[in-house]
Amino acid sequence: MNVDANHDEHEKVSSEINQLNLGNMRMMEGRKSITNSICISDEDIENIKELEKLGVEVECRAIPTDKKVRALDLV
């Protein structure tokens, strides 16, 4: 999903999604590792920031019983 869409798209995202768990984002050129299984780019970071501005809680957990960690706290 690209959160660089227009305002109506942003409103739709925030009304339909209130929580997002990141996982299994492999290492690629231009990405840095924030957990054992998550590597993100600068664009990913900006998208996460935008989602959080819209009220979406973006977290990182490998399994549901893991402690919830806010994605931006790992950047």
Side-chain angles (χ1 to χ4, degrees):
M1 175 178 77
N2 182 352
V3 253
D4 293 330
N6 64 36
H7 180 73
D8 291 338
E9 289 293 321
H10 288 175
E11 292 300 317
K12 183 177 179 181
V13 166
S14 64
S15 68
E16 293 180 3
I17 301 171
N18 58 23
Q19 187 177 39
L20 176 68
N21 182 55
L22 301 180
N24 296 322
M25 297 171 69
R26 66 186 173 97
M27 179 57 82
M28 296 174 64
E29 186 176 331
R31 289 185 178 183
K32 63 181 177 179
S33 178
I34 61 169
T35 72
N36 288 339
S37 64
I38 301 172
C39 301
I40 60 176
S41 67
D42 290 340
E43 181 181 6
D44 294 328
I45 293 168
E46 292 307 312
N47 287 336
I48 292 167
K49 288 178 181 178
E50 185 64 31
L51 284 167
E52 288 205 349
K53 284 181 193 174
L54 295 170
V56 178
E57 182 180 18
V58 184
E59 65 178 48
C60 301
R61 283 196 268 188
I63 58 174
T65 56
D66 285 351
K67 181 180 177 185
K68 184 187 313 185
V69 178
R70 185 173 166 252
L72 289 179
D73 290 344
L74 299 172
V75 177

